[in-house]
């Protein structure tokens, strides 16, 4: 049985995943222009199959696996070893990995399903208190007054809490890869 978290992750990011993988393939394999979209879809379906069968942890970001799968499929197509799957075979793969249609899927609410449980899982510190009050809609002045700390300290604690939350295993798969690259670039520039 596929976990709801995995299903929601793929459903929410399906178009974005195909766009990222297609863009990467266009840059690396311009000679495969007419096959790129088919390769991207096949890579997505193979990745879905790997995640839905539990071969990879649900919290792991599937995009790197998808990139590698797409690159391997493209290399096979360039070498003439294997063309992308025919539409009939692709349809069979879709049918095999399709979730049962009687299940109703509720959309993923990032605040309730990701952020609040992650904040609850943080160590009981001022950082967690600031993050918890921010999640409930508190502003810096209100949080500073309730914790009896200066406003600048609230800002610092909020920044550290956000960094801690982004590094949590259950939150990381839901962060856009572009944001992670910008964040790493900023850390490299600052010497961290």
């Amino acid at each position: 049985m596929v976990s709801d978290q995995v299903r929601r992750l793929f459903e929410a990011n399906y178009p974005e995943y195909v766009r990222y993988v297609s863009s990467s393939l266009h840059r690396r394999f311009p000679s495969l222009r007419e096959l790129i979209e088919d390769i991207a879809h096949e890579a997505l379906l193979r990745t879905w199959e790997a995640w839905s069968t539990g071969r990879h942890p649900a919290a792991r970001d599937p995009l790197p696996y998808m990139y590698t799968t797409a690159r391997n499929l493209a290399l096979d197509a360039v070498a003439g070893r294997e063309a992308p799957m025919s539409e009939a075979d692709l349809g069979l793969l879709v049918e095999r990995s399709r979730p049962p249609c009687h299940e109703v899927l509720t959309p993923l609410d990032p605040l309730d399903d990701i952020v609040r449980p992650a904040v609850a899982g943080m160590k009981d510190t001022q950082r967690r208190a600031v993050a918890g009050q921010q999640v409930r809609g508190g502003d810096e002045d209100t949080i500073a007054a309730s914790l009896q700390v200066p406003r600048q300290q609230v800002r610092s604690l909020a920044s550290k809490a956000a960094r801690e939350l982004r590094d949590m295993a259950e939150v990381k798969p839901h962060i856009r890869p572009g944001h992670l690259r910008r964040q790493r670039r900023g850390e490299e520039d600052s010497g961290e």
Side-chain angles (χ1 to χ4, degrees):
M1 176 80 184
V2 182
S3 77
D4 284 343
Q5 179 184 7
V6 170
R7 186 175 295 122
R8 288 176 185 160
L9 177 66
F10 275 83
E11 287 177 350
N13 296 305
Y14 171 79
E16 194 171 84
Y17 286 161
V18 171
R19 190 176 69 245
Y20 287 156
V21 171
S22 295
S23 175
S24 173
L25 291 173
H26 274 293
R27 284 191 305 272
R28 295 181 72 185
F29 301 96
S31 64
L32 296 177
R33 179 158 295 152
E34 64 278 351
L35 298 176
I36 285 178
E37 192 170 329
D38 293 338
I39 291 172
H41 282 283
E42 184 175 345
L44 176 92
L45 288 171
R46 288 182 182 211
T47 304
W48 163 251
E49 187 174 38
W51 257 251
S52 65
T53 58
R55 290 188 311 213
H56 294 280
R60 179 182 280 169
D61 182 12
L63 202 52
Y65 183 92
M66 202 174 307
Y67 279 130
T68 302
T69 303
R71 185 201 57 185
N72 292 341
L73 289 168
L75 287 172
D76 286 347
V78 166
R81 289 190 295 261
E82 183 180 330
M85 286 182 153
S86 68
E87 288 201 27
D89 291 340
L90 202 54
L92 289 173
L93 183 60
V94 168
E95 288 300 319
R96 196 171 67 216
S97 60
R98 179 175 287 154
C101 58
H102 66 275
E103 293 183 34
V104 176
L105 302 176
T106 57
L108 183 66
D109 179 8
L111 183 63
D112 289 333
D113 294 341
I114 300 167
V115 177
R116 285 193 173 130
V119 169
M122 294 172 71
K123 285 190 271 184
D124 193 16
T125 60
Q126 280 188 328
R127 198 181 292 177
R128 176 184 173 187
V130 168
Q133 288 189 32
Q134 280 186 327
V135 166
R136 289 188 295 277
D139 63 355
E140 287 181 359
D141 293 326
T142 307
I143 296 170
S146 71
L147 294 177
Q148 298 176 349
V149 296
R151 183 176 180 204
Q152 186 59 34
Q153 187 176 355
V154 169
R155 187 172 292 152
S156 174
L157 288 168
S159 175
K160 290 176 184 176
R163 191 174 314 126
E164 183 179 335
L165 286 168
R166 280 193 304 267
D167 289 338
M168 295 177 107
E170 59 269 17
V171 176
K172 202 170 233 172
H174 302 283
I175 298 175
R176 291 188 316 265
H179 173 72
L180 291 175
R181 279 194 298 276
R182 282 192 304 273
Q183 177 187 355
R184 274 190 246 119
R185 193 173 327 131
E187 290 172 357
E188 290 169 3
D189 293 343
S190 65
E192 290 182 16

